[in-house]
Amino acid sequence: MADPWVQAAQDWYNVTYSARPGFETLIVDGVSGWATMYALTRALQYELGISSLSDSFGAGTLAALTSFGTITASNPNTSAGPSNIVKIAQAGLYCKGYNADGGDLKGRWATATQLAVTSLRGDLGLGTTSSDLTPKLFKFLLTMDAARLLPGGDSVVRDGQRSMNARHQARRDYFFVPADGYFLRDTHRALLFALQYELGMADGVANGNFGPGTKSGLQTQANLSTGSSDTTKHFVRLFHLALRVNGYATTFTGTFTSTTATHTNSFQSFVGLPPTGTADLQTWASLLVSTGDPDRPGTGADCVTTLTAEKLATLRNAGYVYFGRYLTNVPDYSLDKCIKHGELERIFASGGRVFPLFQTGGASISHFTPRRGAEVGEEAANAAWGYGLPNNTIIYFSVDFDALPYQVTDAVIPYFQGIQQRLQRTGRTYRVGVYGPRDVCRQLLEAGLAVSSFVSDMSTGYAGNLGKPLPASWAFDQIRTLTVGSGTGAIEIDKNVVSGRYAGINQISPTIRTTADPRIPAVKLDAFEAEWFRACLEHEDSIVQPAVMVGNRPNVKSRVSTHDQYITELATTLGVPKALIMTPLIWEGMVINPGDAGADALVAAYYAAKELGQTPPPGSRSDSSTGVCQAKAETAIRANNWGVSQGIVTSRSYDAAVWQDMWDMWRLIKNDEESAILMGALTMMMEASGAGGASRSQLRQMTPSQVMAMCVGYNNSWFDGGTPAQESMVYGRNRMQLYYTIKRWHQSF
Amino acid sequence: MKPRSISVVVVGALGVLLGFFGAAFLNLAGLDLRQEGLGRGSAWEEGESEYLVVLGSGLLVLWLISVGGVFLLARSGRPDRKVHVLGTWVIVLSALLVTGLVVASVAIIPRLYDWQAY
């Protein structure tokens, strides 16, 4: 609603300043907002003779205003004429809701103006005996901070805000905090300053950070217990305030009562500290910063490093029991952080437990779309199934940035809804956990989209952590990065405090068959077809494709049925899962379109001319993706030669530099479906040994990341050098879902 | 219904079918109309996108010919108001449908080529 006093202030500003260089015209809407505050700040800077105008009321403005002096009845001298600086102060008072002079901007320190300042001072806790507008108070005036309790604000928090304002207003680095009852970033910082001042730190030493000096001071001066009371120092009051903002029903009083001890005890139990009921360093730390005391012991560790026998021994000997490990790598394999063959078994054998993590993005808001959420849910479920994680395992999905509440509502929640959609795809009931700042975890838990939280408390400056209590169902609290051990046993970890609400897993239920896959039973062909069709449809490049190429689905179904015996025998001979062979056969068959026929025609024209000894016609080409697995002749030649060199197949070698060999191979894979299937299988085997590094003996038990890397390589070979194109990485990630669909069905045959 | 009316409907329906495939192939080619102009997403196969653009455009030309065919059929021979009205409706419907499909295929239907790797 428009306020006529604010409107008058905006009008005055426009008339006085908008035509001057460095000023812009203010929208006259009668609403106090940052635009008006910035405009008044620039006007003040102008009046103080500052040439470089800025929206920020920084150190320069404060210094200039300090030189000008406190605004009082005698400064500035307005007997000769009105002062614009006084008018700016009056405008600021109107914007804060104080009656500076009945709506006028007379530029004189009128009685009404003095009463308004006195009222403001009283609201901020500075007493009602003065009407002086000090530079710091002027600075406060030109903010959107409120001096009165706001709806939803906490009166006890407001008591603390007013008390700190009153007690520390004279300190150099202390600036007035709002008295609105909300515990946000500024009040949190003020609380740390207040604590440092109580500890006796001088100006310039006190800095609002919870550093070694503060810790040391708290350890020696601020141990509180029942009966402690404030005399010259206000430790008990500040402790009460800290408890209050962590959700405990304390009042802002100076005596540590038995009730305080009870609350302290509850808080300590909740955050995983020994429940002593007294205020010690660790309790202060946990109340004031999200990490708490980062040096306190923790029994959890999450890491991107493989837990080899040596590294695991290091951690177990250091008391770590719970290990956070990643289900997959990112598609480009830039960080090889996934769980390796035998790693889970090794951890379990040592008495350790595992809580699985999933993160292939999530460090910025752009990752959080419903579609990506669904994909992530499916990837995580397949990976968890691939590792044999049991029912009810909680997988922690990352929100690895300082998501603001509206971003959580608009993007993160829909993303987690997407995760929920597909997380149960494998038939195993996995549950959703969230890794992120406190407030993000809380919102997702309240929305019913996560059952457990792994709190990223090392990001102490995040708005989502600052001044926010731990979420009620926190399971792991990440507090410090450190290196443990030495030599080959040395490992860098993030240390986690463990609440015990979720203990992770200590066994797996192996699902991956290590023997040859069977044929598809005739009675299950249709059900199997429905599943692989869905796995293709959900990852189409264009939703138009299945609508136009309606013949692809029956064609592929027919090929699967016709060649199943051949594929089964081939898989047995090669020692690979049938999914490895069928993934390219099914997918590539589903995306054939007239463009492929066109490309093939250009190749045929090229070699027709070659055979006649003529120059190939313009536009013709020497190679195209062709046949039922849509492979290029050059790729097939490389796979064939690799197979020959490995002793896997006994074929002649081809030379891609010789056009006759290229033509032979191209015709072979275009016209002979079994040859095309064989070359597709060899290509997949070769690529599995690329970035994924899967040996032949591992091909039936590849990790999910090896499967993904293999599929990426089918589209853009790892042996071509460099990082595969982004579309190839997505191709690999999507085909991995098809691979596991085929794999799961063959487990059931 | 008169044979001329049936011809009008059949040619019109055939034209819409050609237009549907024309629009669909433009989508498969990755054509994408955005504020900055007409772009094209990457295709798996070199030359595949260009081929589909040619094919889609060719089908749309055939659709235009079919519209012309409907016009001629409706106007040729003995004047018949009912056939004229029918022809006009078929042309309007065909234009609306195929234009809508083309716009949808290059500007509205989400192009899944816009992958998100992370």
Side-chain angles (χ1 to χ4, degrees):
Chain A
M1 187 186 289
D3 181 327
W5 291 354
V6 175
Q7 207 161 337
Q10 291 168 330
D11 274 330
W12 169 77
Y13 167 85
N14 280 340
V15 169
T16 311
Y17 297 104
S18 63
R20 298 177 190 275
F23 289 91
E24 290 177 1
T25 303
L26 198 54
I27 295 169
V28 179
D29 56 4
V31 177
S32 296
W34 277 113
T36 305
M37 293 302 149
Y38 292 152
L40 292 175
T41 302
R42 283 173 175 266
L44 178 64
Q45 290 164 347
Y46 175 82
E47 297 297 340
L48 290 170
I50 296 171
S51 54
S52 176
L53 305 184
S54 149
D55 288 343
S56 167
F57 193 121
T61 309
L62 189 65
L65 190 56
T66 304
S67 296
F68 184 82
T70 294
I71 313 294
T72 63
S74 57
N75 182 48
N77 183 354
T78 54
S79 57
S83 159
N84 276 351
I85 290 183
V86 172
K87 289 184 182 182
I88 292 165
Q90 289 172 322
L93 286 163
Y94 287 136
C95 289
K96 282 269 184 289
Y98 295 92
N99 179 1
D101 199 8
D104 289 337
L105 290 160
K106 291 178 181 163
R108 298 181 197 281
W109 208 236
T111 306
T113 311
Q114 293 177 41
L115 284 172
V117 174
T118 302
S119 179
L120 170 67
R121 293 179 65 95
D123 286 338
L124 284 175
L126 308 180
T128 54
T129 56
S130 168
S131 61
D132 291 352
L133 186 65
T134 64
K136 281 186 182 175
L137 196 55
F138 211 142
K139 178 179 167 74
F140 176 83
L141 208 52
L142 300 185
T143 66
M144 286 300 294
D145 290 343
R148 292 172 181 152
L149 186 67
L150 291 178
D154 183 334
S155 61
V156 175
V157 171
R158 183 168 189 258
D159 290 345
Q161 291 170 322
R162 296 178 75 233
S163 170
M164 291 189 293
N165 283 337
R167 198 166 163 79
H168 306 297
Q169 59 179 302
R171 300 301 295 260
R172 190 189 76 184
D173 299 322
Y174 185 89
F175 294 97
F176 295 122
V177 291
D180 56 3
Y182 278 89
F183 191 77
L184 300 176
R185 186 182 292 271
D186 285 346
T187 306
H188 180 266
R189 190 168 168 77
L191 174 57
L192 283 167
F193 266 114
L195 203 52
Q196 291 173 331
Y197 294 143
E198 300 296 347
L199 291 170
M201 288 187 184
D203 287 341
V205 177
N207 57 10
N209 297 327
F210 193 82
T214 310
K215 285 186 199 172
S216 157
L218 286 170
Q219 202 155 24
T220 53
Q221 298 182 52
N223 291 302
L224 310 171
S225 57
T226 305
S228 301
S229 62
D230 289 342
T231 50
T232 58
K233 305 282 188 182
H234 276 193
F235 289 122
V236 176
R237 284 183 176 84
L238 296 179
F239 188 76
H240 276 146
L241 177 60
L243 274 174
R244 181 80 182 188
V245 299
N246 275 276
Y248 295 87
T250 54
T251 52
F252 192 70
T253 52
T255 304
F256 196 110
T257 64
S258 58
T259 307
T260 310
T262 305
H263 289 318
T264 305
N265 205 303
S266 299
F267 172 74
Q268 289 166 329
S269 300
F270 175 62
V271 300
L273 292 174
T276 61
T278 62
D280 53 14
L281 171 63
Q282 290 196 342
T283 310
W284 276 109
S286 291
L287 284 168
L288 295 172
V289 284
S290 58
T291 55
D293 175 9
D295 297 326
R296 70 189 191 275
T299 54
D302 66 278
C303 57
V304 295
T305 311
T306 305
L307 291 179
T308 60
E310 295 91 341
K311 295 181 194 302
L312 181 61
T314 299
L315 292 175
R316 292 291 291 121
N317 290 336
Y320 292 95
V321 179
Y322 304 91
F323 301 102
R325 294 287 291 124
Y326 290 90
L327 289 176
T328 67
N329 291 332
V330 289
D332 68 1
Y333 252 73
S334 55
L335 184 60
D336 188 12
K337 62 181 181 178
C338 71
I339 301 166
K340 302 297 185 304
H341 285 286
E343 188 177 346
L344 289 175
E345 292 82 350
R346 188 159 53 241
I347 294 170
F348 299 150
S350 75
R353 306 180 73 97
V354 170
F355 55 100
L357 314 174
F358 187 89
Q359 181 173 17
T360 56
S364 69
I365 186 71
S366 62
H367 172 79
F368 294 90
T369 64
R371 180 177 162 205
R372 187 75 194 106
E375 290 173 353
V376 158
E378 187 176 13
E379 289 163 44
N382 278 327
W385 182 88
Y387 281 118
L389 304 193
N391 279 333
N392 293 319
T393 301
I394 297 176
I395 301 170
Y396 291 89
F397 295 88
S398 289
V399 183
D400 205 1
F401 76 110
D402 193 10
L404 299 172
Y406 79 91
Q407 291 175 316
V408 175
T409 306
D410 295 349
V412 178
I413 284 181
Y415 170 87
F416 271 75
Q417 286 167 336
I419 290 176
Q420 293 275 11
Q421 277 175 21
R422 295 195 191 166
L423 192 63
Q424 315 305 343
R425 275 286 170 84
T426 64
R428 290 213 164 159
T429 50
Y430 296 124
R431 294 184 291 164
V432 177
V434 53
Y435 167 83
R438 295 177 171 199
D439 211 40
V440 173
C441 294
R442 180 191 59 76
Q443 287 190 69
L444 286 167
L445 292 163
E446 285 177 3
L449 294 169
V451 296
S452 178
S453 51
F454 175 16
V455 188
S456 58
D457 265 341
M458 285 198 299
S459 305
T460 53
Y462 275 15
N465 282 332
L466 206 63
K468 302 287 193 307
L470 270 169
S473 65
W474 74 275
F476 304 98
D477 183 9
Q478 191 180 53
I479 60 168
R480 188 183 164 194
T481 299
L482 73 163
T483 299
V484 186
S486 59
T488 55
I491 181 169
E492 185 181 84
I493 58 160
D494 288 336
K495 178 170 67 177
N496 307 312
V497 175
V498 179
S499 73
R501 290 182 184 85
Y502 178 60
I505 56 170
N506 64 350
Q507 61 177 359
I508 51 174
S509 311
T511 43
I512 302 295
R513 177 184 280 126
T514 55
T515 54
D517 284 329
R519 288 197 60 184
I520 306 166
V523 292
K524 292 194 174 179
L525 259 175
D526 287 343
F528 174 54
E529 185 249 359
E531 283 287 310
W532 64 246
F533 177 71
R534 185 176 73 169
C536 293
L537 190 64
E538 287 179 344
H539 298 289
E540 281 286 4
D541 298 328
S542 163
I543 55 173
V544 172
Q545 171 90 34
V548 178
M549 302 308 297
V550 289
N552 285 347
R553 183 177 179 179
N555 288 343
V556 173
K557 184 181 180 186
S558 168
R559 277 182 212 127
V560 167
S561 174
T562 306
H563 297 299
D564 188 48
Q565 181 166 351
Y566 172 72
I567 292 169
T568 307
E569 290 168 0
L570 182 63
T572 305
T573 306
L574 298 176
V576 300
K578 283 174 70 181
L580 179 147
I581 302 172
M582 294 176 77
T583 298
L585 177 69
I586 291 175
W587 170 256
E588 296 297 341
M590 284 297 293
V591 293
I592 285 173
N593 66 45
D596 297 306
D600 285 358
L602 295 176
V603 175
Y606 179 92
Y607 288 111
K610 280 285 203 185
E611 287 195 319
L612 293 171
Q614 297 171 348
T615 304
S620 64
R621 295 157 48 189
S622 62
D623 203 358
S624 68
S625 296
T626 192
V628 292
C629 291
Q630 285 292 293
K632 286 189 169 181
E634 187 179 353
T635 306
I637 286 176
R638 177 156 52 182
N640 176 77
N641 294 350
W642 176 83
V644 171
S645 70
Q646 299 287 314
I648 300 170
V649 288
T650 51
S651 154
R652 77 174 179 92
S653 289
Y654 291 75
D655 186 349
V658 176
W659 71 263
Q660 289 90 345
D661 278 11
M662 285 283 285
W663 181 220
D664 285 349
M665 180 57 84
W666 191 84
R667 279 181 299 182
L668 183 69
I669 58 176
K670 177 173 171 57
N671 300 322
D672 181 30
E673 293 193 351
E674 290 191 354
S675 294
I677 292 169
L678 172 62
M679 292 307 155
L682 290 173
T683 304
M684 292 286 266
M685 291 173 71
M686 181 180 72
E687 295 299 337
S689 69
S695 65
R696 278 197 67 193
S697 63
Q698 290 175 337
L699 290 175
R700 284 197 177 123
Q701 301 168 76
M702 283 185 281
T703 65
S705 291
Q706 286 174 324
V707 171
M708 194 182 342
M710 173 180 73
C711 295
V712 169
Y714 191 82
N715 187 256
N716 186 336
S717 177
W718 294 99
F719 297 94
D720 285 340
T723 304
Q726 176 164 301
E727 55 263 39
S728 300
M729 291 190 277
V730 178
Y731 175 98
R733 192 175 62 200
N734 289 342
R735 297 303 81 75
M736 171 186 160
Q737 317 317 322
L738 175 60
Y739 174 96
Y740 276 110
T741 301
I742 300 167
K743 185 85 184 138
R744 276 200 306 279
W745 273 85
H746 277 81
Q747 294 292 125
S748 71
F749 294 152
Chain B
M1 193 182 264
K2 294 172 185 171
R4 199 146 61 103
S5 299
I6 293 171
S7 303
V8 163
V9 171
V10 167
V11 172
L14 197 65
V16 170
L17 196 65
L18 292 168
F20 166 77
F21 278 102
F25 288 146
L26 292 184
N27 176 276
L28 286 181
L31 284 192
D32 187 16
L33 188 63
R34 293 182 180 177
Q35 277 188 336
E36 55 268 31
L38 196 63
R40 198 170 63 203
S42 56
W44 298 121
E45 183 78 45
E46 187 192 344
E48 184 179 317
S49 177
E50 289 85 346
Y51 184 84
L52 285 168
V53 169
V54 170
L55 194 60
S57 304
L59 287 168
L60 288 174
V61 168
L62 289 177
W63 163 71
L64 274 176
I65 290 170
S66 81
V67 170
V70 169
F71 180 80
L72 288 176
L73 275 170
R75 293 282 169 177
S76 63
R78 194 164 51 87
D80 185 329
R81 182 174 156 69
K82 283 185 179 174
V83 177
H84 287 184
V85 170
L86 178 68
T88 306
W89 272 108
V90 168
I91 289 170
V92 168
L93 266 177
S94 177
L96 282 176
L97 271 171
V98 174
T99 310
L101 283 169
V102 170
V103 170
S105 70
V106 300
I108 298 174
I109 293 175
R111 231 174 12 88
L112 306 186
Y113 296 109
D114 284 336
W115 300 284
Q116 195 178 351
Y118 302 109

